[in-house]
Amino acid sequence: MKKTLTVNNSAWLMFIMLFFLTIITMLFVVEFRFLKGIMNDYEETIRQVAVNKTSFFLNNLRGVTEGAARKLNGRPDRNAALKELPLFDHRITGAYILDATGRVVARTEIPPGDLPLEKFRSQPPRQGSRVLGVHTGDGAQTVVTVVTPLGKEWLALDFSIMDFQQELSQEFLGNTCKVAVFASGKTPLVWPFERELLDQFSGREEKFYANQLAYDVNSLTVGDPPWQLYFFLRENNFDTYRIITIMLLLFALYCCLYQFLVELWGVNSARTYFENIDFNIFNHVHEGVIISNNAGRVLFANQAAHEIFTAKGPLKGAKLKEILGHIGDAPDKQNRYGTLTLRTADRLLQAIHSPIIKKGKVLGALTVIGAGGKEEETCGRVLSRLMEALPQGAVYVDRNHRVVQANLMARCYLGNLETGISIDAVDPELAGFIYRNMGSRSVKRVHLDSRNLDGEVIFVYDDEGVYAGTLVLLESGTGGNPGLEPLRPR
């Protein structure tokens, strides 16, 4: 039989939600990429500032050294000229003239400290000025030595790095980003944390912890001989938040898509639940029978229901609330299930309004309408006919745990089910499950190992909330589902 797909109001609502969630997800993805680009540009700018300042400092030292060499050329009294060099640049702490072998032939009065002459002898500069290295000068302060040609000799100048240290420290004063500078080897020139933390830093870390803060660490090399710049960027967990947000949006999008397809194709609707049942059998009873879906729309109404509500025209597709009034509210609102009184223009009717449940989900409602009093008996017979038509085994047990009613499929599954027999005598496992879960307000799923049956157990309560009985729906098992509660022997 060819099926016609119809889209109800609920499906349209899900489609609108799906559309807007898709737009929101795309906007979040674009926004996150934009913000990530801004953060990357900001971090790159910070790194470039530190690199530029370091490169400028080293180039400036070489330029000052070359200018000092030009100042000394042609001066007969080199010792006097050397003493004037600290006036040439306030950072100069010492000046030396070296011969081709690296021996100091003239110097200022300041002791040379541990001038790195071994490195000069092994690798003398070929042309132009060169940063020779870093060493401890007068007063145990760290200085940078730059050497440049001076005729057949060499001029070496020691420069204080105090100004460079202060400039970098002030530029990166906050906790967002800090910069450390190391000369060749592991000689710290700029260290932004406490001195005792220096021993914990090896230079190979990707993360560094200081003052209860976590920093991401990356590095760059500047100059020759190389100076290593380490950047400590405050950890912001932006990527983690981005991934979590996108995953939540995608999950919501998936749920909406699933629900939309369910509504579009009619999966888990009241119609598909009864798709193997011939609804025409209800046209042979004198009571009105109405089956509605979980959106509050009528899927089927028998001939008697059309005669009762003849003034309302065709009932199929109509809103249940327009037909039955307050008892026709959709399941997601306050729905009045049970035996209810329905007043029409010329008479008083009795209606039994019950939910249709599959796998713990309300799929719709079944309403049986009679004239009241004596007709309640007929309504019971209609429900009995409906139980017999169900493809599952159905058993109703009263509050005393005795079988009140059972359909043919239930008898096939459980054997002899005479009215009034105790459920203990029918199946002890099932009885034990009912006793353990009595009082539950939700549908309980169960697997009977001894009979290889899957089932749903629904506990029924009267208008005062007192336990009235238990409805059990059974079908052939699939070997046990992991989601079902295992039974324990009583």
Side-chain angles (χ1 to χ4, degrees):
M1 182 179 64
K2 185 177 180 179
K3 295 183 179 180
T4 302
L5 299 181
T6 60
V7 182
N8 55 25
N9 289 342
S10 179
W12 278 113
L13 179 61
M14 292 307 303
F15 175 77
I16 294 172
M17 291 180 62
L18 185 64
F19 174 77
F20 279 106
L21 264 177
T22 303
I23 297 298
I24 291 173
T25 302
M26 292 177 62
L27 289 176
F28 265 92
V29 171
V30 173
E31 180 69 14
F32 277 133
R33 293 184 58 142
F34 178 71
L35 291 176
K36 185 64 175 178
I38 291 178
M39 293 178 64
N40 289 338
D41 291 343
Y42 170 71
E43 294 174 1
E44 182 60 31
T45 300
I46 290 177
R47 285 191 286 266
Q48 196 60 46
V49 167
V51 170
N52 290 344
K53 286 184 178 295
T54 304
S55 298
F56 176 79
F57 174 70
L58 295 175
N59 291 334
N60 181 254
L61 295 187
R62 286 193 287 266
V64 170
T65 304
E66 291 172 0
R70 289 193 296 270
K71 187 177 181 64
L72 288 179
N73 275 331
R75 294 286 298 270
D77 189 357
R78 293 185 301 180
N79 288 332
L82 286 177
K83 294 178 181 179
E84 296 175 1
L85 287 182
L87 301 176
F88 183 67
D89 191 292
H90 71 282
R91 295 171 297 179
I92 297 177
T93 61
Y96 320 93
I97 296 178
L98 312 176
D99 62 15
T101 63
R103 184 174 60 87
V104 178
V105 297
R107 63 177 176 82
T108 58
E109 294 180 356
I110 302 173
D114 54 349
L115 187 67
L117 297 179
E118 294 297 330
K119 189 171 184 180
F120 171 80
R121 298 186 183 101
S122 62
Q123 295 179 344
R126 297 180 181 178
Q127 59 183 1
S129 59
R130 175 188 173 189
V131 176
L132 192 60
V134 176
H135 69 99
T136 303
D138 181 51
Q141 64 172 330
T142 302
V143 295
V144 179
T145 301
V146 182
V147 63
T148 190
L150 184 64
K152 295 182 179 181
E153 298 174 319
W154 306 90
L155 172 65
L157 297 180
D158 287 342
F159 291 90
S160 170
I161 63 170
M162 186 177 299
D163 291 348
F164 175 68
Q165 291 173 326
Q166 291 178 352
E167 186 177 3
L168 277 187
S169 299
Q170 292 175 0
E171 184 73 31
F172 304 98
L173 189 60
N175 289 325
T176 303
C177 177
K178 293 183 178 295
V179 176
V181 181
F182 286 78
S184 301
K186 195 182 177 184
T187 304
L189 303 182
V190 178
W191 178 248
F193 304 108
E194 290 81 359
R195 192 69 184 179
E196 54 268 18
L197 294 177
L198 182 59
D199 296 333
Q200 303 175 16
F201 183 70
S202 66
R204 296 184 295 273
E205 294 88 346
E206 294 183 356
K207 287 190 178 297
F208 188 73
Y209 299 89
N211 302 323
Q212 299 180 345
L213 297 177
Y215 294 89
D216 294 322
V217 184
N218 52 72
S219 62
L220 286 173
T221 301
V222 177
D224 181 27
W227 283 16
Q228 200 76 15
L229 274 64
Y230 293 94
F231 301 94
F232 300 86
L233 296 170
R234 175 83 175 274
E235 189 177 48
N236 53 28
N237 297 318
F238 177 81
D239 289 333
T240 302
Y241 296 146
R242 177 180 64 173
I243 292 172
I244 292 175
T245 303
I246 295 298
M247 289 185 65
L248 289 176
L249 285 172
L250 290 176
F251 177 75
L253 188 63
Y254 167 79
C255 292
C256 286
L257 178 61
Y258 171 79
Q259 190 63 32
F260 173 71
L261 295 177
V262 165
E263 296 293 341
L264 182 65
W265 293 334
V267 180
N268 283 340
S269 68
R271 179 180 294 278
T272 57
Y273 187 61
F274 291 109
E275 63 183 0
N276 296 322
I277 299 176
D278 185 4
F279 286 107
N280 290 324
I281 63 174
F282 297 119
N283 288 323
H284 299 289
V285 297
H286 298 289
E287 286 67 37
V289 177
I290 297 177
I291 297 176
S292 57
N293 63 13
N294 56 3
R297 293 278 182 177
V298 175
L299 298 177
F300 170 81
N302 68 350
Q303 188 62 36
H306 281 86
E307 293 174 358
I308 294 173
F309 301 104
T310 182
K312 297 185 181 294
L315 300 181
K316 185 176 180 180
K319 290 184 178 180
L320 191 63
K321 186 175 183 179
E322 295 176 356
I323 302 171
L324 304 180
H326 59 277
I327 72 170
D329 290 337
D332 56 344
K333 302 176 183 177
Q334 186 176 2
N335 206 328
R336 297 182 57 190
Y337 294 123
T339 302
L340 307 166
T341 300
L342 180 64
R343 184 182 298 277
T344 63
D346 56 350
R347 53 181 167 167
L348 194 66
L349 303 173
Q350 293 291 328
I352 299 177
H353 189 58
S354 303
I356 299 173
I357 300 174
K358 182 179 180 181
K359 295 182 179 179
K361 181 180 179 181
V362 177
L363 305 179
L366 170 68
T367 307
V368 180
I369 306 166
K374 173 178 171 181
E375 283 73 9
E376 291 180 4
E377 211 173 297
T378 307
C379 291
R381 289 200 297 273
V382 172
L383 292 178
S384 298
R385 292 284 297 275
L386 179 60
M387 286 183 65
E388 289 295 336
L390 287 174
Q392 302 143 308
V395 182
Y396 183 75
V397 181
D398 65 12
R399 71 182 65 194
N400 298 316
H401 311 300
R402 297 189 179 277
V403 176
V404 175
Q405 195 168 2
N407 65 359
L408 179 61
M409 289 300 297
R411 294 186 181 92
C412 292
Y413 288 145
L414 301 176
N416 186 22
L417 288 174
E418 296 180 356
T419 302
I421 189 173
S422 173
I423 191 65
D424 296 84
V426 175
D427 193 297
E429 288 184 344
L430 179 59
F433 181 85
I434 293 174
Y435 296 153
R436 288 196 306 275
N437 293 277
M438 191 180 303
S440 173
R441 299 286 173 170
S442 61
V443 177
K444 295 290 185 179
R445 301 186 64 197
V446 64
H447 178 74
L448 303 180
D449 290 324
S450 59
R451 300 178 184 271
N452 193 25
L453 295 175
D454 294 334
E456 297 179 345
V457 179
I458 307 167
F459 298 92
V460 183
Y461 304 88
D462 60 19
D463 293 339
E464 288 74 32
V466 179
Y467 171 72
T470 303
L471 176 63
V472 181
L473 300 176
L474 298 172
E475 59 185 1
S476 179
T478 59
N481 293 330
L484 302 182
E485 178 180 336
L487 285 175
R488 300 187 298 270
R490 295 180 60 238

